[in-house]
């Protein structure tokens, strides 16, 4: 076995954490801050343009120490080494897990089955670069000799969500090409998109690691038919390219070999935006920005590999997540980016996290008797404040939240940005410290509502003590976005290691696919 199989609940650290939990579970954040005036500095990690403040959690230094002992007891260190060095840690599919290799800035060989994969990665990157430059500059022409104006990415899941999220997040850096995403098998989705397009100036990027996914093949076939209503077969090579590991089926579909961008089995679909799957990102923002995205991710990987666990951002975030999930019994985590560009980030993270850690069988094949992956959800602040934040502030559920904000806005509008960030900080403070009876009393008195005090008081009290992480980043650049995505990818990895599950397969989605095929045949 590449990875050890250690039941986390049988470790000494887990037993100590259970006792510690009983001591600390009712501690109020207000008191924890009053007891230690250096709490914010002690529980903040700085890295490049990032500052991660995890002080507003129900933890003490003792909690962190014990959680780190848990990570040590399950041999997280050993697992990280195996992961980055290409051991086949995706054991149920007998694959290495090397999305980190796609973005490495180093030249040290990384071996898969005894072969160094870096030369293949570099040559693929240079193919992405040349193709991007050709299309963006207009050198690549359609079948009537016109420049390309529109790109349609056809894919689903990992072949859609990452690219769609990044293209949206980096809109500020975009060139003139219009990028569209077709994913759903709902024919109205594809029809809605192609109806506005001119086949002479549109390029279709068919993205499917397996090239067997029903949604993608159905959409690609519909598009091909629509394209051939005005063009002939020979024109296909100017308008269809594919990203896949399955060259045979792509060629059978009619796409030329030179228009195929390869990927590899050691890249999981939901971690593949760094590979040729990110071709639409490179086309949207140019290869240099795509490269910056890779660089930022690689910097986070280096931090993750080298920083001691107490100063290691993905490790600390993962451990805090486990603290709430397995000890406090929280079922969900909410992701709240205070940037409208990151509106799709929570949806992207849902697949990355829930398809990875939504497992209930441990690495020995036994059913687990403890909680694993959390439910991930969220949307952009401040819109979220006017939608679901009420439940987080005053509902009955404990929902740990990640607030992601930027020091600078991209267009530099000070007034908007100050208001946005005032809300960002205001929410984390309200969640942590709440509003006491005395404060509500004073407020109502001040407003001259003395006669309503008794009636309104219980409804206006905020208990507070709601945990948050404050992830503050200087600016939304391609490089910082790369680091942010990699931060969550590595958090997911750490949690999977501690929960003793296999994070890199996804058999849970197969049964639904099989049944859909069967029912379709019957229909
Ligand atoms: O939803 C299951 C899944 O296998 C994902 O893991 C993957 O990202 C998606 O389907 C698409 O797969 P493919 O790239 O092979 O079309």
């Amino acid at each position: 076995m590449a990875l050890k199989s250690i039941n986390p609940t049988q470790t000494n650290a887990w037993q100590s954490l259970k006792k510690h939990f009983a001591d600390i579970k009712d501690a109020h954040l207000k008191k924890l801050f009053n007891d230690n005036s250096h709490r914010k500095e002690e529980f903040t990690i700085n890295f490049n343009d990032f500052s991660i403040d995890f002080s507003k959690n129900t933890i003490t230094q003792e909690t962190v120490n014990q959680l780190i002992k848990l990570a040590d007891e399950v041999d997280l260190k050993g697992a990280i080494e195996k992961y980055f060095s290409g051991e086949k840690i995706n054991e149920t599919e007998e694959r290495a897990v090397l999305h980190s290799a796609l973005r490495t800035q180093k030249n040290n060989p990384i071996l898969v089955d005894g072969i160094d994969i870096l030369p293949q990665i570099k040559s693929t990157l240079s193919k992405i670069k040349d193709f991007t430059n050709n299309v963006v500059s207009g050198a690549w022409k359609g079948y009537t000799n016109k420049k390309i104006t529109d790109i349609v990415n056809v894919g689903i899941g990992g072949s859609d969500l990452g690219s769609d999220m990044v293209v949206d997040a980096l809109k500020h850096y975009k060139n003139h090409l219009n990028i569209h995403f077709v994913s759903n098998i709902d024919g109205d989705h594809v029809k809605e998109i192609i109806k506005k397009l001119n086949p002479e100036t549109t390029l279709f990027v068919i993205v499917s690691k397996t090239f067997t996914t029903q949604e993608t093949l159905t959409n690609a076939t519909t598009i091909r038919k629509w394209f051939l209503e005005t063009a002939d077969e020979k024109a296909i090579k100017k308008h269809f390219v594919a990203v896949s590991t399955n060259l045979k089926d792509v060629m059978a579909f009619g796409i030329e070999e030179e228009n195929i961008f390869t990927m590899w089995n050691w890249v999981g679909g939901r971690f593949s935006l760094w590979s040729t799957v990110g071709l639409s990102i490179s086309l949207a923002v140019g290869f240099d920005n795509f490269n910056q995205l890779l660089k930022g991710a690689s910097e986070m990987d280096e931090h993750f590999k080298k920083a001691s666990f107490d100063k290691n951002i993905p490790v600390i975030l993962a451990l805090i997540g486990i603290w709430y999930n397995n000890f406090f019994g929280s079922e969900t985590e909410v992701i709240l980016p205070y940037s409208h560009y990151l509106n799709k980030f929570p949806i992207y993270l849902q697949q990355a996290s829930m398809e990875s850690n939504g497992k209930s069988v441990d690495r020995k094949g036994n059913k687990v008797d403890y909680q694993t992956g959390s439910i991930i959800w969220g949307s952009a602040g401040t819109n979220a404040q006017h939608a679901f934040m009420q439940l987080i502030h005053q509902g009955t559920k404990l929902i740990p939240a990640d607030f992601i904000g930027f020091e600078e806005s991209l267009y530099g509008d000070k007034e908007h940005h100050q208001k946005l960030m005032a809300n960002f900080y205001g929410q984390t403070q309200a969640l942590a410290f709440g509003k006491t009876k005395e404060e509500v009393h004073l407020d109502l008195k001040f407003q001259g509502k003395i006669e309503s005090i008794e009636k309104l008081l219980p409804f206006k009290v905020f208990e507070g003590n709601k945990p948050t992480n404050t992830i503050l980043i200087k600016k939304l650049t391609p490089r910082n976005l790369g680091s942010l995505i990699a931060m969550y990818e590595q958090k997911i990895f750490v949690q999977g290691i501690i929960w003793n599950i296999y994070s890199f397969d996804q058999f849970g989605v197969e049964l639904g696919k099989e049944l859909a095929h069967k029912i379709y045949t019957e229909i």
Side-chain angles (χ1 to χ4, degrees):
M1 262 171 104
L3 292 173
K4 291 182 183 165
S5 175
I6 298 167
N7 181 338
T9 64
Q10 302 300 314
T11 57
N12 294 330
W14 196 278
Q15 300 316 315
S16 319
L17 277 161
K18 264 166 71 178
K19 284 194 205 117
H20 176 63
F21 172 70
D23 295 340
I24 197 183
K25 67 181 176 26
D26 296 321
H28 199 289
L29 284 168
K30 227 181 210 173
K31 180 166 179 340
L32 294 176
F33 271 87
N34 283 341
D35 290 351
N36 178 3
S37 55
H38 302 294
R39 187 174 168 86
K40 184 173 169 355
E41 298 80 71
E42 284 171 15
F43 290 138
T44 294
I45 305 174
N46 295 309
F47 156 80
N48 289 353
D49 285 353
F50 283 57
S51 154
I52 315 289
D53 171 2
F54 56 100
S55 61
K56 294 193 191 75
N57 284 292
T58 312
I59 55 168
T60 60
Q61 195 53 55
E62 177 63 16
T63 325
V64 176
N65 296 344
Q66 293 198 17
L67 286 165
I68 289 174
K69 275 197 190 130
L70 172 65
D72 289 338
E73 264 190 80
V74 301
D75 193 26
L76 175 62
K77 196 107 214 115
I80 295 174
E81 274 160 29
K82 288 174 182 166
Y83 168 42
F84 280 95
S85 64
E87 280 201 39
K88 295 194 173 165
I89 60 163
N90 174 359
E91 291 179 50
T92 50
E93 296 181 313
E94 292 179 37
R95 290 175 188 167
V97 178
L98 279 171
H99 44 278
S100 60
L102 298 164
R103 56 211 191 197
T104 184
Q105 309 289 303
K106 300 221 156 120
N107 289 317
N108 311 343
I110 300 171
L111 304 182
V112 174
D113 295 324
I115 297 166
D116 182 12
I117 56 171
L118 280 191
Q120 311 166 39
I121 295 173
K122 286 197 177 145
S123 89
T124 308
L125 274 175
S126 88
K127 185 166 170 168
I128 297 177
K129 181 178 178 182
D130 293 345
F131 184 73
T132 301
N133 290 344
N134 270 338
V135 176
V136 174
S137 69
W140 181 285
K141 299 278 194 302
Y143 71 101
T144 54
N145 219 27
K146 290 186 180 148
K147 292 177 188 174
I148 298 297
T149 56
D150 290 79
I151 309 288
V152 182
N153 188 97
V154 186
I156 196 164
S159 297
D160 165 73
L161 289 166
S163 302
D164 191 8
M165 179 275 288
V166 173
V167 168
D168 224 44
L170 297 182
K171 231 181 217 161
H172 184 73
Y173 302 87
K174 249 185 60 39
N175 53 36
H176 60 282
L177 295 171
N178 304 307
I179 317 283
H180 315 267
F181 288 86
V182 172
S183 53
N184 203 313
I185 200 156
D186 177 356
D188 291 344
H189 187 194
V190 61
K191 291 281 161 61
E192 195 56 52
I193 288 185
I194 54 179
K195 79 173 184 200
K196 293 172 244 153
L197 299 174
N198 176 357
E200 294 170 67
T201 56
T202 303
L203 180 80
F204 297 96
V205 185
I206 317 294
V207 189
S208 178
K209 181 177 164 182
T210 55
F211 219 75
T212 57
T213 304
Q214 190 192 44
E215 289 89 339
T216 304
L217 294 192
T218 307
N219 282 326
T221 307
T222 300
I223 288 170
R224 194 173 181 275
K225 240 190 256 162
W226 167 84
F227 181 77
L228 292 176
E229 282 167 16
T230 46
D232 63 17
E233 292 269 352
K234 272 196 284 175
I236 286 191
K237 76 162 185 247
K238 305 261 183 202
H239 294 269
F240 285 78
V241 303
V243 174
S244 189
T245 54
N246 181 355
L247 307 199
K248 195 171 124 266
D249 284 0
V250 178
M251 291 203 289
F253 179 84
I255 294 179
E256 305 264 321
E257 194 169 359
E258 68 203 63
N259 282 353
I260 305 177
F261 291 78
T262 42
M263 65 174 298
W264 306 276
N265 271 339
W266 41 261
V267 185
R270 54 193 171 274
F271 301 101
S272 64
L273 69 89
W274 323 98
S275 70
T276 46
V277 169
L279 185 61
S280 299
I281 303 174
S282 180
L283 288 165
V285 296
F287 183 78
D288 288 348
N289 282 323
F290 182 62
N291 216 13
Q292 283 295 308
L293 186 82
L294 302 186
K295 185 168 185 266
S298 156
E299 286 168 348
M300 183 56 78
D301 291 344
E302 290 303 310
H303 161 82
F304 174 55
K305 272 196 285 186
K306 291 182 189 143
S308 60
F309 288 167
D310 61 331
K311 296 273 172 284
N312 192 312
I313 299 168
V315 172
I316 289 291
L317 293 179
L319 293 174
I320 290 174
I322 285 176
W323 182 231
Y324 291 116
N325 185 63
N326 295 89
F327 293 88
F328 282 85
S330 294
E331 295 267 314
T332 83
E333 279 174 36
V334 65
I335 309 292
L336 299 163
Y338 274 64
S339 159
H340 211 76
Y341 288 115
L342 291 183
N343 207 17
K344 292 183 178 168
F345 193 63
I347 300 170
Y348 156 78
L349 265 191
Q350 282 179 333
Q351 189 205 11
S353 183
M354 292 163 79
E355 202 168 80
S356 300
N357 288 337
K359 312 285 166 65
S360 50
V361 171
D362 71 14
R363 290 202 281 269
K364 282 199 178 118
N366 299 320
K367 198 156 170 46
V368 298
D369 57 3
Y370 49 88
Q371 289 291 312
T372 61
S374 288
I375 299 161
I376 305 292
W377 61 290
S379 79
T382 58
N383 295 29
Q385 292 171 211
H386 297 273
F388 54 72
M389 287 304 289
Q390 165 65 34
L391 185 141
I392 302 179
H393 283 287
Q394 287 189 314
T396 51
K397 295 179 170 55
L398 182 69
I399 304 178
D402 278 2
F403 280 76
I404 304 167
F406 296 89
E407 280 174 45
E408 291 171 35
S409 72
L410 295 184
Y411 285 95
D413 187 302
K414 282 230 162 68
E415 191 194 334
H416 278 269
H417 200 64
Q418 283 168 357
K419 286 180 182 170
L420 176 72
M421 294 313 277
N423 275 281
F424 174 81
Y425 289 117
Q427 287 293 310
T428 61
Q429 282 177 25
L431 286 164
F433 308 124
K435 196 168 179 183
T436 60
K437 268 187 194 159
E438 293 70 30
E439 287 164 335
V440 176
H441 197 283
L442 260 178
D443 245 17
L444 289 170
K445 205 166 145 191
F446 187 71
Q447 290 166 23
K449 294 184 179 162
I450 296 175
E451 65 292 348
S452 325
I453 290 181
E454 212 177 314
K455 189 175 151 211
L456 290 179
L457 201 79
F459 306 102
K460 291 200 160 236
V461 168
F462 281 65
E463 276 175 17
N465 215 17
K466 310 281 194 274
T468 60
N469 293 310
T470 306
I471 297 160
L472 183 65
I473 307 167
K474 199 156 188 289
K475 197 172 169 179
L476 179 52
T477 59
R479 180 175 161 213
N480 285 337
L481 180 66
S483 298
L484 180 71
I485 301 169
M487 177 187 93
Y488 278 104
E489 285 183 346
Q490 307 308 11
K491 171 186 170 183
I492 292 162
F493 169 81
V494 172
Q495 294 191 323
I497 293 300
I498 294 178
W499 286 323
N500 194 28
I501 53 178
Y502 286 121
S503 299
F504 297 101
D505 59 25
Q506 58 286 315
F507 298 119
V509 289
E510 296 305 325
L511 179 60
K513 286 189 194 172
E514 275 167 35
L515 291 177
H517 276 295
K518 195 166 158 257
I519 295 167
Y520 178 63
T521 320
E522 283 164 16
I523 294 171

